[in-house]
Amino acid sequence: MSTALPPWSGSHLLLIGASHRTAPIELREKLDFSSRGLASALKELAARRSSREAVVVSTCNRSEIYVACDDVEPAREDMTRFMCDFHRVSADLVAPHLYSYVDVEAARHLFKVASGLDSLVVGEPQILGQVKDAYSTASTEQRSGPLLNKLFHSAFAVGKRVRSETALAEGAVSVSFAAVALAKKIFGSLTGRRVLVVGAGEMGKLTALHLKSHGIAHLAISSRTRAAAEQLAADVGGVFVPWDRLSAALLDSDIVITATGSSTPILDRRRVAAAIPASRTRPLFLIDVAVPRDVAADVGELEQVFLYNIDDLQAIVRENLQKRGAEIAQAERIVDDEATKFAAWQRARGAIPTVVALRQRFESIRRAELERLEPKLAQLSPEARVKIDEITRLIIEKLLLHPTEQLKAVDSPDAVTQYADALGRLFALGQPDIDRQRGGADQPPLDLRGSAEAVAKAETASPAREAETADVSSDASTTGSQRPTSAGRPPPVDSERS
């Protein structure tokens, strides 16, 4: 009879994605999941069945899919097809710009994302909240499970450590700050300039706050969401501009920074050209930090109009990197430390089915022997029988403690499989009839997938239980009508086999 254990489902972590490091903004716009909603993407992913768990992360600079899968290569191919199918983009256009990581390297990448190390502007504080939102959506849609739950909670811990143990996020380091820095490079000083911020979301709010401290003469805020724009204008001492007055506001501005969540451009060539008369002599600088872009690319072809998008912030990024070199090194050490911990957890997880089956086998034998000795145990007091039950449980835990720790520490998946096969043969794992064949009591078949309780025990076995065993043994030696032996142990109930 075969003794092979079933594979642990969802054992591999796979990431596939595109970001500002691999894809131009024109393609990132096409791969933006937020335009159709993360929930919609997760529902379509669930129908493909190549993954058991999934989280979709979509920000202005990246589109990434994290999945738990049994077989990496088929899942990788399917996720690539999904990326193309969902966004209606040809594989020839997308594939050269995609990256893919597996297991610990996928975890390391997410940890860098959550800590701001992989951001366009290093140390960007907004990204951790966006990662949390992505995980929350997957949880709501019931698409996260044991592997991705552990992964993302670990990522949150990494982000928190980097912010508390390094100065990586000190000061203004967001994309909105980079936009303001770019504006300063253009004009040298913002003193006396008239600025229009289009968008009252998080990015627009941060941009307005940064601008407030640079001595600008006039700050206007416009958004489709009137209440949000009015509140932001009040908070920063600016002026609210109704959405239908946006074109007029363009004429009155030196700098326009757009940061809306629109899926299509809000400023096209015709609208901007109509708002700027030929008699205008001063230039208009448009800084578009939105993805998808708020300003059509051909707007930059107009006379006296200078258009910059998020990819033009690279010079700011390079300066940021130079200033934060030491902090980056410390943050990367934190990422490596947490990635090592995650890898150890994932290796241990591969051994859990065998550990669970082994514990269930020992527990099956323990129950069978207690039932066989029931006529002899009946003469003991209820307290003594409870202690005997607990003592036998703790003995099993002690016997299995070292094998469990050693099996969970094995690095190679092949070695785990070999050990699992050997243990299966030695202890007849997967053979529920073995106790009946040997004269034991009938027992229910073993569930080799493992209950939640069994999995928890397998993952948290601790030497601390040894002390508990000693304490319980001592208590049991004085319970009931049996007198303790000179060694302080309860006498055997009966050494005979019935």
Side-chain angles (χ1 to χ4, degrees), residues 187 193 253-255 280-285 303-306:
F187 287 99
R193 299 296 176 181
S253 303
D254 297 307
I255 304 168
R280 176 175 173 133
T281 58
R282 73 182 193 276
L284 173 64
F285 289 86
E303 289 292 329
Q304 295 296 320
V305 175
F306 298 86

Side-chain angles (χ1 to χ4, degrees), residues 27-46:
L27 179 58
R28 300 203 306 273
E29 288 177 330
K30 292 181 172 66
L31 299 180
D32 175 42
F33 282 103
S34 60
S35 59
R36 290 177 57 189
L38 300 186
S40 174
L42 290 168
K43 286 183 174 68
E44 291 196 24
L45 269 173

Side-chain angles (χ1 to χ4, degrees), residues 195-199 220-224 229 239-253 255-260 262 264-268 271-272 274-276 280 284 286 294-295:
V195 182
L196 168 65
V197 175
V198 184
I221 309 293
S222 185
S223 172
R224 284 193 178 96
V239 176
F240 163 68
V241 174
W243 190 252
D244 59 5
R245 297 285 299 164
L246 181 59
S247 295
L250 291 176
L251 176 61
D252 194 40
S253 303
I255 304 168
V256 178
I257 300 178
T258 63
T260 78
S262 175
T264 58
I266 59 171
L267 297 176
D268 57 23
R271 184 174 189 180
V272 174
I276 301 177
R280 176 175 173 133
L284 173 64
L286 297 170
D294 282 332
V295 185

Side-chain angles (χ1 to χ4, degrees), residues 122-163:
V122 174
E124 175 189 357
Q126 293 170 274
I127 187 65
L128 183 59
Q130 293 169 324
V131 171
K132 287 182 177 180
D133 290 343
Y135 172 71
S136 177
T137 300
S139 298
T140 301
E141 295 296 322
Q142 298 183 333
R143 291 293 290 137
S144 63
L147 182 57
L148 295 188
N149 288 342
K150 176 67 175 179
L151 173 69
F152 276 83
H153 281 288
S154 297
F156 304 153
V158 172
K160 184 176 180 180
R161 279 193 63 188
V162 168
R163 279 158 178 73

Side-chain angles (χ1 to χ4, degrees), residues 200-224:
E202 187 66 20
M203 188 78 74
K205 180 179 180 180
L206 289 172
T207 303
L209 289 172
H210 293 322
L211 287 166
K212 182 181 179 181
S213 62
H214 285 85
I216 58 176
H218 179 80
L219 176 61
I221 309 293
S222 185
S223 172
R224 284 193 178 96

